[in-house]
Amino acid sequence: MDLKDKKCIPCSTYVPPLSQEEKERLLKSLSPEWKLTENNSRIRRDVKFKNFKRALEFTNEVGRIAEEEKHHPEIHLGWGHCDIELWTHTNNNLVENDFIVAAKIDEAHARLYPASP
């Protein structure tokens, strides 16, 4: 099953972080714009747009996904960009939920802004 087709599992208590090998494997299933950051304890994608309106539109879609999954990223919005960082706060590291939300964000970006032919 693709990550984008999974649902996040609530983790209100400590959940062990993924191994480095698992992080790298799951990262390969995301768009190449996602990078491991903060000593491999977070994933981040910086998305560029032609104006503020599009960046805000995308930010709102990311917010909708986060609410639906009950797993919330850090989002930095500015003129022409929306920067997204995911990690699980209960363990200050990465679990599968982070990659599920990232995959759903990738799908939303592809849907809203299909590549030009």
Side-chain angles (χ1 to χ4, degrees), residues 3 16 37 49 61 91 95 98 100 117:
L3 283 171
T37 63
F49 295 95
E61 181 63 10
N91 69 8
V95 300
D98 301 299
I100 291 170

Side-chain angles (χ1 to χ4, degrees), residues 41-84:
S41 65
R42 299 178 183 188
I43 52 174
R44 180 181 177 105
R45 180 176 178 183
D46 299 338
V47 186
K48 304 294 182 209
F49 295 95
K50 67 179 184 177
N51 56 40
F52 184 81
K53 182 180 177 184
R54 280 205 166 181
L56 179 60
E57 175 183 67
F58 185 65
T59 300
N60 287 330
E61 181 63 10
V62 170
R64 185 196 64 72
I65 292 165
E67 281 295 296
E68 185 175 286
E69 294 300 321
K70 302 202 180 352
H71 195 75
H72 302 88
E74 296 292 319
I75 303 170
H76 183 93
L77 168 67
W79 193 97
H81 70 93
C82 173
D83 307 330
I84 305 158

Side-chain angles (χ1 to χ4, degrees), residues 88-108:
T88 297
H89 291 80
T90 57
N91 69 8
N92 200 31
N93 213 310
L94 294 165
V95 300
E96 187 179 48
N97 287 349
D98 301 299
F99 292 90
I100 291 170
V101 171
K104 290 176 186 280
I105 290 169
D106 282 349
E107 188 277 328

Side-chain angles (χ1 to χ4, degrees), residues 10-29:
C11 53
S12 57
T13 60
Y14 180 83
V15 175
L18 297 169
S19 68
Q20 184 61 30
E21 294 77 24
E22 191 68 6
K23 291 174 189 178
E24 290 171 6
R25 184 185 70 76
L26 290 171
L27 188 65
K28 289 177 183 174
S29 66

